[in-house]
Amino acid sequence: MLDRLTLLLRLLSVFYTCLATAHAAAQEPLVPQAYKVGDKVPVTCLNRTVETGEHITDLEGHLSYIPFWTCAETNRPLELLFGIDTEQNCTIDFVSDPFFHLLEFYVHNDAPLTCRIPSRPLPPSALKDEFEKGVTDTTEGQGSLSEVYTPLVVALAGTLQLSHLHVSAGMNVLVHAAPRSVAPGTIAAATAYSISRDPPTRIVIGDPLPLRFSVRWYPNTSLPSGWTGVGGHLTFSTVVYCGLSALASAAICVAYFRGVELPRRLKSHGKDRLGGMERGGSGLGGYGLNGGSVNGGFGYGPGKRD
């Protein structure tokens, strides 16, 4: 009887310890993690109605975001790779009728393609809602400012026609990370825009939409200086090109002078000298001997002979 009572007390002690540990863990806030180079950054976009393009909200009045369209290359929604500059292709296999009408809103600028990416890695799905509620936003009302997500507004360019669309499918994606000294492994800002000078892609309902993303990452929120005004930007390759051009020009000038101009001048000078001597000119420029003037001077002879 005593042994059974002792075992029961031990079991109750273990149960109480586990319950207290779980309660303490539930009370502790979730600590935000940091991205590492190469981590996947999922992209979600604002859910809009097909009829008017208005945003959709949930039961609590929060803006509703859905995953980016599935890419045929990965069979997953679009994901960026943290800290890695890359060229990504995302082909949407089938442009459905609802998606085509949304593209009309985006291209005609009736509604922006508003997306977002997590500023830090999100916890597992079971804790995602709890994490988002634990990190409160400091901005009242609806908007894109958040401590959990970073806005990524895509400026999609194109032309709306009666029967089809022309979409500039090539896009630049610029992402700024927060400085390591402030918040390592954290995304601070992002944007994306179409390259309108590239040939557009003609789209009708049922066609695939091949999107091309040129992704560039910056280690802080400052843009690097490169453009120095009208005339272009100065780079090392430009300096080397100018130096090589100058050397090549100098070599051509020297070769022309030595191979063409110098022989021509020497030949002309030689003809001038020979022509002067044939006319009786003296090469010494003084008085001649033996009774004649050699260079237009006076000569003298040995005298009168008997």
Side-chain angles (χ1 to χ4, degrees), residues 222-291:
S222 300
L223 284 174
S225 59
W227 183 265
T228 57
V230 178
H233 54 276
L234 185 63
T235 61
F236 178 74
S237 59
T238 304
V239 175
V240 173
Y241 175 79
C242 293
L244 292 177
S245 299
L247 292 176
S249 301
I252 293 174
C253 292
V254 171
Y256 174 80
F257 179 77
R258 290 191 173 184
V260 178
E261 186 66 18
L262 184 59
R264 185 182 65 81
R265 291 187 180 184
L266 292 176
K267 184 177 181 181
S268 176
H269 181 68
K271 286 183 178 180
D272 292 341
R273 295 192 63 182
L274 288 176
M277 294 180 69
E278 289 175 356
R279 290 191 298 268
S282 171
L284 301 176
Y287 292 95
L289 301 177
N290 298 325

Side-chain angles (χ1 to χ4, degrees), residues 32 44 62-63 65 114-120 122 128 131-152 186-190:
T44 56
H62 299 150
L63 297 176
Y65 284 83
T114 304
C115 301
R116 67 181 186 179
I117 52 180
S119 301
R120 297 181 180 89
L122 295 175
K128 178 182 177 182
F131 175 77
E132 293 181 348
K133 292 179 180 178
V135 182
T136 57
D137 296 338
T138 58
T139 305
E140 296 181 359
Q142 295 180 346
S144 57
L145 291 179
S146 170
E147 294 183 8
V148 182
Y149 294 96
T150 297
L152 175 61
T186 304
I187 297 175

